[in-house]
Amino acid sequence: MSRTTAESHTRRVVVAFAATLGMLAIVFAPNPVGLSPRGQATLAVMFFAGVLWVARALPLAVTALTIPLLLATFGVYGRVDPALSGFSDPLIFLFIAGFMLANALQKYNIDRRIALWVLSLMGSSPRRLILAIMLATAFLSMWVSNTATTAMMMPIALGILAEVLGREQLVEEGGTFFSNMQIATLLGTAYAASVGGVGTLIGTPPNVVVVAFLNRLLGYELTFADWLFVGVPVVVVTLPIVWYVLTYWLFPPELTDVEDARAKAAAYLSEEGSLDTMGRRVAYIFAATAVLWILGGFGFLFEGLFPPEVFTTLFGGTGTSIFGTAGHAGILYFVLVGLFAIPALSLSGAMDWDDLVDIDWGTILLFGGGISLADALADTGATEWVSQTVFGSLVGAPIVLVVGAVVLFVVLLTEMTSNTATTTIITPILIGIGGIFAATLGIEAAAAAVFLAVSGAIAASFAFALPVATPPNAIVFGGGYMEQRHMLRAGMVLNALMTVVLTALLVALFYFVWPMTLW
């Protein structure tokens, strides 16, 4: 074991030991007024998991697996089954389906073809070239994980930069001069992946986390189509701002002619050739799945057009289905649509099991552990106690101040830990304070909880300053083609700016768009 590895192991052991001592201190501390012993134990588990997630003393998924273990150990639940129920949440299977669809797109280079096609169309000037890279990255990140999207777009961006700057001018770690074109392109790639992930329900884990928590804690369901009304406006407004700040303010490109890069993208695309039969089958399955995901959220448009039994079978409801059963989730329920895609991919012959199963199971486990923790916080009343204790002083404050405080807090917390872990920690609390701020917002407690929780989840994708904040940041920085000071400079400016922009945008959506779609 090297000295560096040994030091890292020692640090992780020390952090885990300190987290354990803190957890036990909370468990055995005098019981606060208004908090049950079970709630106190749940907060202790939350403290333990939060410290390990922030400090990364254990892999995120391993920490998540300790949550049901500790909940059962401390007797928060009398049986183990409730502690483990979070791992069977339906949205976990939506995520599995999304990851498997992404694998299919990547196997046949469909995502790469889309990116190269956009570059070949738009890359006629340095700024337009960077914009094209960012648009392609953001679009792909709406459907493929932002981690996989960045990993795929990074070599494409580097290949384009090599054509624009010349390979001898593409500076790696240890170089003395990093051109603005290089920095803006690579930062734009990372930031676009994070921003684009906000656009759809499956774009990034925080989206699914908040939707799952809202469903389990409030019984409130956001459909795939509902999320589009939330996420797409955020992407449409913020992505151009990020691009403008990078290319006009912080790192304006020094070049004037990038036609070689546009031609190179077209050449790369030509080298890909036409999709073969299996690739076309994957494209058809993906397109059909995306259309059905969206269609399932617009059932109200079809009321009265179908017989009641058919409508219930397709879109769900309490009536009788065509199978003679009372009540139906709806074949077009987005989780079912995603799961239908898996056997479709297998039956098409395009994907075998080894292709499908190679997904990010760590994120799945992290998601399950987070749901188990959220359930326990709600079941024991700990969420309400924390909400009243921590946020009660903000009652009566202007809505802009409340949302701004949530956005800023989440952005800063995400800089220290992963956006998924941040959302897992903060969402139950944001849901719990819905009742506190319902009067301030002028809506029902459930609607206020939805608004604040969704705002927090969106903000978790806007931490731009440090490599550890998001996987796209880590991938781009880890390539060695920029220094941390470049990311820190851009990130600090964008964090401050996006806090203001997101606050204004979320409040505007709250008043003018969401009342027609979500409430």
Side-chain angles (χ1 to χ4, degrees), residues 227-263:
W227 188 270
L228 294 178
F229 287 104
V230 175
V232 171
V234 173
V235 177
V236 169
V237 171
T238 59
L239 188 66
I241 294 175
V242 173
W243 167 74
Y244 182 88
V245 169
L246 286 177
T247 62
Y248 281 90
W249 185 1
L250 297 176
F251 304 106
E254 310 90 338
L255 306 176
T256 57
D257 182 18
V258 293
E259 281 298 327
D260 288 347
R262 186 177 181 182

Side-chain angles (χ1 to χ4, degrees), residues 126-127 130-131 133-134 157 161 178-192 242-243 245-248 250-254 476 481-482 486 490:
R127 288 189 174 95
I130 295 172
L131 178 61
I133 291 173
M134 292 179 67
L161 284 171
F178 295 82
S179 71
N180 283 353
M181 182 72 190
Q182 179 173 326
I183 297 169
T185 299
L186 297 178
L187 286 178
T189 302
Y191 297 163
V242 173
W243 167 74
V245 169
L246 286 177
T247 62
Y248 281 90
L250 297 176
F251 304 106
E254 310 90 338
V476 168
Y481 290 92
M482 69 173 66
H486 300 134

Side-chain angles (χ1 to χ4, degrees), residues 391-441:
F391 293 96
S393 60
L394 287 177
V395 173
I399 180 175
V400 172
L401 179 61
V402 173
V403 177
V406 168
V407 170
L408 179 61
F409 177 74
V410 171
V411 168
L412 294 179
L413 181 59
T414 304
E415 290 290 0
M416 296 182 290
T417 187
S418 79
N419 54 3
T420 306
T422 296
T423 312
T424 302
I425 295 168
I426 196 66
T427 298
I429 297 174
L430 294 178
I431 292 174
I433 66 178
I436 298 177
F437 292 106
T440 300
L441 299 175

Side-chain angles (χ1 to χ4, degrees), residues 229-230 233 505 507-519:
F229 287 104
V230 175
L505 178 58
V507 171
L509 289 171
F510 167 75
Y511 278 115
F512 300 111
V513 177
W514 294 1
M516 297 181 289
T517 58
L518 303 188
W519 309 149

